[in-house]
Amino acid sequence: MATERTLIIVKPDGVQRGLVAEILGRFERRGLKLVGLKLVRIDRPLAERHYAVHAGKFFYDELVEYITSGPVVIGVLEGPKAIEVVRAMIGKTRPNEAASGTIRGDLAVEGLRNLIHGSDAPETAAEEISLYFSEAEVLDYSRSSEHWITGAP
Ligand code: DAT
Ligand code: MG
């Protein structure tokens, strides 16, 4: 199965509510590999680039306000069909419509403070990763036990 990389953002409400470990932990437990990670405050120009596809929509200004309102945790996850797997784990856009078992369905209920962003297609994943990470900030490494055993002193 094709190994993919996808971008996730724990949005300001996720950081503010102390849900970073809970959210990242779900991806780790699922078996996805974290290959990039940072805590940043997204500024307006960057938010406008990220959400360019929504420019002009009635909710655009509010969306930019929201994503720039506090620190976020941005990660790159790698694994088989990672884009689709992460989207399924995130759940529907509106938390009240998201199924139980999903991040939004388990951890949020109101409005569109929906805790997390995940890339929705291979093209957007590649674009979004390069928006937030340099090539050197996305790491190649092995998580296999053999690696650790052979690497031990
Ligand atoms: P998702 O975050 O599930 O990928 P999206 O890409 O369609 O959803 O929209 C990006 C964000 O914009 C979403 O997380 C919340 C906000 N948003 C989407 N549709 C909206 C609407 N109809 N009214 C207000 N905010 C909306
Ligand atoms: Mg989206």
Side-chain angles (χ1 to χ4, degrees), residues 21-22 24-32 89 143:
E22 161 72 34
L24 294 182
R26 286 179 177 229
F27 295 125
E28 285 194 299
R29 293 199 299 275
R30 183 71 190 265
L32 293 164
M89 290 176 73
R143 282 195 315 184

Side-chain angles (χ1 to χ4, degrees), residues 141-153:
Y141 66 100
S142 169
R143 282 195 315 184
S144 76
S145 54
E146 268 174 48
H147 171 82
W148 297 110
I149 290 163
T150 56

Side-chain angles (χ1 to χ4, degrees), residues 3 39 56 65 70 76 94-95 120 127 130-131 136 149:
T3 296
L39 175 78
E65 278 300 291
V76 181
R94 293 174 187 280
D120 60 9
E127 258 172 51
S130 66
L131 195 56
I149 290 163

Side-chain angles (χ1 to χ4, degrees), residues 11 50-51 53-54 87 93 104 117-120 124 128:
K11 295 180 179 180
H50 179 100
Y51 281 128
V53 62
H54 295 301
R87 290 289 295 187
T93 303
R104 288 168 174 167
H117 167 84
S119 308
D120 60 9
T124 46
E128 290 173 1

Side-chain angles (χ1 to χ4, degrees), residues 27 45 57 84 87 114 152:
F27 295 125
K57 294 185 185 165
E84 210 175 294
R87 290 289 295 187
N114 57 18

